[in-house]
Amino acid sequence: MQENDKEKKRLQKQRILVGIAIVLALALAIMMWLIINKPKVENEEENKPEIAYTELIKMLDDGTIEKIEMTTGSPNLKVKLVDEEKEKKAIVPSIQAFMELVQNKVESGVEINLEQKEPPVIKTIFSTFMSLIPTLLIVALFIMLFKMQGLGEKGKVYGVDESNKTDVTFDDVAGLDEEKNEMLEIVDFLKNPEKYKKMGAKIPRGILLFGKPGTGKTLIAKAIAGEASVPFISMSGSEFIEMFAGLGASRVRKLFEKAKKISPCIVFIDEIDAIGERRTNGVGAETENNQTLNQLLVEMDGFESDETVIVLAATNRPEMLDKALLRPGRFDRQITIAPPDLKGREAILKIHAANKKFAEDIDMADIAGDTAGFTGAELANVLNESAIIATRHKHEVITKQDLEDAVKKVTVGIEKHSRVMSDKDKRLTAYHEAGHAIVSKYLGTQTDVKEISIIPRGVAGGYTMYKTNEDKYYISKTEMEEKLVALLGGRAAEKVALDDISTGASNDLEVATGIAKDMITIYGMNDRLGPISLKVDEPYELQIFGEDIGDAVGEEIRKLIDTAYERAQTILINNMETLHLVAQRLMEKEIISAEEFEEFFR
Ligand code: ADP
Ligand code: ZN
């Protein structure tokens, strides 16, 4: 409740500030308009001259003027004529020219009673003030803008999680058992900082979590705070990059000010690569980035020993980080959060299935088997999609089919029945997919086909799905080579059966080339180049391997791809009849299941 009130008050305050800013901006606009239009207004009304300038000069000669009254700095004169009671107004185009003229007249003997007045003090102050108003308004507007910026920032740091409490616990995090174990120590630090201090142990400062988006990095950071019942405050690295110079750095400073105030606590910085990118000597946005990073380093170094603040940061691109971030006392602990394995996936699915109704024949272990490589977020997404699909089909419970459709939707995108394929496209796609499937069948390391389809999904014209029931930590060279053959099976089928090739294979080629390149440059699987890693930060670093290293890598990638393409074509030529049959069936049915596919090989 209390947090709610605070949140409301904050929003109210923000709304008032926005209101004031709008009023100020309007006032400024009106002022500008008045200033631009001011001379006109004066001329038209009270300051209309009653004596024209030429007439005035004539009068000076005639001697019909009794007295001229003028105010310093003003072109407005009051002229008293000899035979008239009332003073008349006149305006001179140039005061200086007029004064010279009068001087000449006086010298040539004309008598002129010229009375010079100083402008009244109050009027001077007033006009000075008036001329300053636009400036003042602009300054006020800028101050407002900065204030609002600050408030918005508070909204993120101090606002939504004003209590900063989180009820996420380790029970909500599935499958990351070792990681959780490692974090237990941190939880204990946060709970009993005194115990560790007495023993002379240094409290860890920063922990970097490496891993793909959706692997649960935020979740585990929250769970640490939840387990230790300490506040959790977070920011995303991309938020630090601001358009106002220095604001990124000031945000970092504010975040840590707050953290120290509420310590012990957890500070979580998502996407730290956005600020922690290697520093450059660049200009503009880059130096802004450097400032933010420098501030972060200063803050990490500046903790007092009695402040128990643990900073967790997450990134998917550890190689991009400035090395200074990883020094002792900063983010000196690094934990990799990998996508879950079979058991982990089952555990995650079970957590997210808890609030949903499933048909009785559904076993989360099966789904876990079909979703190798999925992150926690993707698994949560699959279950959510299955519930949506079930609702749309007015099912009582989520059925096996709903779940399978959800898996497909998350992996390959949604079925596009609306995209009508021409017969020619259908034929091409059928041979392409049949090619992938048949080639894989003859490769020992490749998994069995689960489904072949020529129904367009997402950007793909068709797809061949493979069974995935094994989690692998290492992939052998043979397996990688055969993966290339399977990938090129689509293009090979187009070539051998239709003697024409299409653009449909572009993604296959991209993936295959990537694998071939990794085999050579990362995994050292090439005999000519040997077991060396050619992973470098800058291209010139490759030169230590000799001038022609680039050519050699290119030639070897080409050899790998060519060999694989040859093998795929050979397999298909030896199974030409099956290729035609499978493609034919695909054109008729559009989808072939694993069982049907096996029939062709009996
Ligand atoms: P990251 O920070 O790594 O991008 P998140 O922590 O934001 O990922 O994860 C997004 C969502 O995915 C979580 O809110 C949760 O619903 C789900 N999720 C991810 N990993 C797990 C896990 N290990 N156990 C349970 N749910 C998970
Ligand atoms: Zn393909």
Side-chain angles (χ1 to χ4, degrees):
M1 272 286 107
Q2 225 178 348
E3 289 100 66
N4 242 340
D5 285 353
K6 275 188 196 162
E7 175 69 10
K8 255 187 220 150
K9 265 193 201 139
R10 192 184 63 75
L11 278 176
Q12 217 166 18
K13 207 166 145 200
Q14 189 158 14
R15 249 178 246 137
I16 293 171
L17 275 181
V18 172
I20 296 176
I22 291 172
V23 170
L24 275 180
L26 271 177
L28 190 64
I30 292 171
M31 286 297 302
M32 289 301 203
W33 185 80
L34 280 180
I35 288 163
I36 290 163
N37 289 283
K38 195 168 139 197
K40 238 201 219 150
V41 175
E42 273 184 6
N43 282 350
E44 269 165 16
E45 296 189 0
E46 70 220 55
N47 286 324
K48 220 176 200 173
E50 289 157 305
I51 306 171
Y53 187 58
T54 43
E55 208 181 328
L56 179 71
I57 293 169
K58 224 169 92 210
M59 283 173 168
L60 279 178
D61 291 330
D62 295 350
T64 42
I65 295 176
E66 193 185 300
K67 196 175 95 182
I68 297 177
E69 203 185 297
M70 64 188 295
T71 313
T72 313
S74 162
N76 299 325
L77 312 180
K78 282 180 188 164
V79 184
K80 171 94 175 65
L81 300 179
V82 180
D83 47 2
E84 269 178 56
E85 267 300 295
K86 244 184 112 220
E87 288 174 346
K88 283 189 167 174
K89 284 173 193 156
I91 294 178
V92 294
S94 153
I95 307 169
Q96 211 186 354
F98 180 69
M99 290 304 285
E100 267 167 32
L101 195 78
V102 172
Q103 200 71 33
N104 286 340
K105 298 281 175 208
V106 171
E107 271 163 23
S108 60
V110 182
E111 213 173 287
I112 300 170
N113 187 356
L114 190 67
E115 196 181 306
Q116 191 129 4
K117 275 184 163 179
E118 285 304 316
V121 181
I122 293 177
K123 210 173 160 188
T124 325
I125 293 172
F126 182 70
S127 66
T128 319
F129 179 70
M130 287 299 278
S131 66
L132 276 179
I133 281 187
T135 324
L136 290 176
L137 277 175
I138 290 175
V139 170
L141 204 63
F142 263 92
I143 293 172
M144 295 285 308
L145 277 176
F146 272 101
K147 276 244 149 142
M148 270 159 59
Q149 199 89 30
L151 211 76
E153 164 195 346
K154 269 183 207 154
K156 276 169 209 136
V157 184
Y158 315 119
V160 184
D161 336 286
E162 173 65 68
S163 73
N164 302 313
K165 289 246 164 60
T166 157
D167 31 3
V168 179
T169 66
F170 281 156
D171 287 341
D172 299 306
V173 187
L176 295 167
D177 294 335
E178 275 124 79
E179 290 80 356
K180 282 197 277 189
N181 256 336
E182 203 167 341
M183 299 297 193
L184 274 178
E185 190 187 273
I186 308 291
V187 172
D188 202 40
F189 271 132
L190 286 164
K191 274 183 164 164
N192 315 298
E194 292 311 319
K195 191 172 87 183
Y196 288 90
K197 259 172 243 153
K198 257 190 221 148
M199 201 59 84
K202 259 218 208 110
I203 308 276
R205 260 316 144 226
I207 302 165
L208 209 46
L209 303 173
F210 294 152
K212 283 212 296 187
T215 42
K217 299 183 292 295
T218 315
L219 192 69
I220 205 164
K222 271 196 184 149
I224 293 171
E227 289 284 336
S229 23
V230 300
F232 174 87
I233 56 179
S234 72
M235 275 188 122
S236 173
S238 52
E239 284 168 31
F240 285 117
I241 308 306
E242 290 292 333
M243 52 182 175
F244 289 116
L247 213 63
S250 106
R251 284 190 162 202
V252 171
R253 196 173 331 110
K254 291 224 173 98
L255 178 72
F256 280 86
E257 251 168 43
K258 165 85 177 172
K260 285 173 189 172
K261 224 179 277 167
I262 60 173
S263 102
C265 71
I266 293 274
V267 172
F268 180 68
I269 304 175
D270 203 1
E271 298 176 70
I272 194 174
D273 42 285
I275 34 173
E277 224 171 300
R278 251 175 284 149
R279 276 169 294 183
T280 52
N281 311 316
V283 284
E286 281 181 348
T287 48
E288 165 64 11
N289 205 354
N290 291 353
Q291 270 187 38
T292 314
L293 175 58
N294 286 337
Q295 188 63 41
L296 180 62
L297 296 176
V298 167
E299 297 294 345
M300 293 293 293
D301 293 342
F303 283 113
E304 302 292 330
S305 56
D306 56 336
E307 287 156 347
T308 314
V309 175
I310 294 184
V311 188
L312 283 117
T315 179
N316 186 30
R317 306 188 302 165
E319 73 285 352
M320 299 296 293
L321 290 180
D322 197 292
K323 299 277 183 289
L325 272 171
L326 309 179
R327 296 226 180 92
R330 295 169 182 168
F331 293 98
D332 48 6
R333 285 195 188 195
Q334 285 115 43
I335 296 176
T336 303
I337 311 278
D341 60 7
L342 184 67
K343 273 210 176 127
R345 289 198 300 276
E346 191 181 337
I348 294 173
L349 284 166
K350 281 189 173 149
I351 283 186
H352 291 278
N355 61 350
K356 299 180 178 68
K357 274 190 273 176
F358 290 94
E360 283 190 353
D361 61 338
I362 287 178
D363 187 354
M364 287 301 155
D366 290 344
I367 318 233
D370 286 344
T371 47
F374 277 42
T375 63
E378 281 166 334
L379 292 171
N381 193 14
V382 163
L383 292 188
N384 188 49
E385 284 297 337
S386 75
I388 291 172
I389 292 170
T391 312
R392 231 182 25 228
H393 293 159
K394 301 199 169 65
H395 292 163
E396 298 268 294
V397 290
I398 299 167
T399 66
K400 208 163 201 167
Q401 188 61 49
D402 297 335
L403 253 172
E404 274 173 18
D405 287 349
V407 172
K408 264 185 240 166
K409 187 169 171 187
V410 173
T411 30
V412 255
I414 189 165
E415 265 187 26
K416 285 189 184 150
H417 285 292
S418 57
R419 200 165 98 194
V420 182
M421 261 207 268
S422 69
D423 281 349
K424 196 167 155 260
D425 280 354
K426 230 172 161 176
R427 194 173 146 81
L428 195 102
T429 313
Y431 274 98
H432 180 104
E433 298 305 332
H436 281 305
I438 293 168
V439 166
S440 312
K441 176 87 190 150
Y442 288 92
L443 299 168
T445 63
Q446 299 302 296
T447 46
D448 289 345
V449 169
K450 188 167 177 244
E451 185 175 280
I452 319 168
S453 159
I454 59 166
I455 299 171
R457 256 181 196 279
V459 287
Y463 59 88
T464 304
M465 251 209 230
Y466 299 96
K467 285 187 184 159
T468 52
N469 25 26
E470 202 185 341
D471 284 297
K472 288 213 183 80
Y473 295 101
Y474 300 109
I475 307 174
S476 72
K477 182 181 172 190
T478 312
E479 192 175 345
M480 287 179 108
E481 283 169 349
E482 293 196 341
K483 178 86 198 162
L484 296 181
V485 182
L487 278 165
L488 295 169
R491 163 60 66 93
E494 294 175 30
K495 176 87 183 96
V496 300
L498 307 171
D499 195 24
D500 196 6
I501 50 177
S502 76
T503 55
S506 67
N507 186 53
D508 297 336
L509 302 187
E510 196 183 322
V511 176
T513 311
I515 293 175
K517 189 171 148 225
D518 287 352
M519 286 174 73
I520 294 163
T521 60
I522 299 177
Y523 303 114
M525 286 176 175
N526 183 270
D527 291 337
R528 174 164 158 207
L529 291 154
I532 47 165
S533 170
L534 296 173
K535 239 168 106 177
V536 288
D537 290 335
E538 306 290 345
Y540 71 82
E541 292 173 42
L542 275 179
Q543 284 170 8
I544 57 168
F545 297 110
E547 289 283 316
D548 311 329
I549 189 81
D551 295 345
V553 170
E555 281 164 26
E556 292 304 312
I557 291 177
R558 181 170 290 285
K559 260 194 226 161
L560 273 173
I561 298 282
D562 286 348
T563 315
Y565 190 44
E566 284 299 322
R567 266 182 83 185
Q569 288 190 58
T570 312
I571 294 172
L572 290 171
I573 289 167
N574 292 338
N575 293 277
M576 210 53 175
E577 206 176 324
T578 321
L579 177 61
H580 285 308
L581 286 174
V582 175
Q584 198 62 43
R585 178 74 63 82
L586 264 175
M587 280 185 271
E588 286 158 17
K589 289 193 59 190
E590 298 194 336
I591 289 191
I592 297 181
S593 69
E595 295 79 41
E596 283 174 281
F597 181 64
E598 289 304 321
E599 298 269 303
F600 289 103
F601 299 92
R602 294 243 165 87

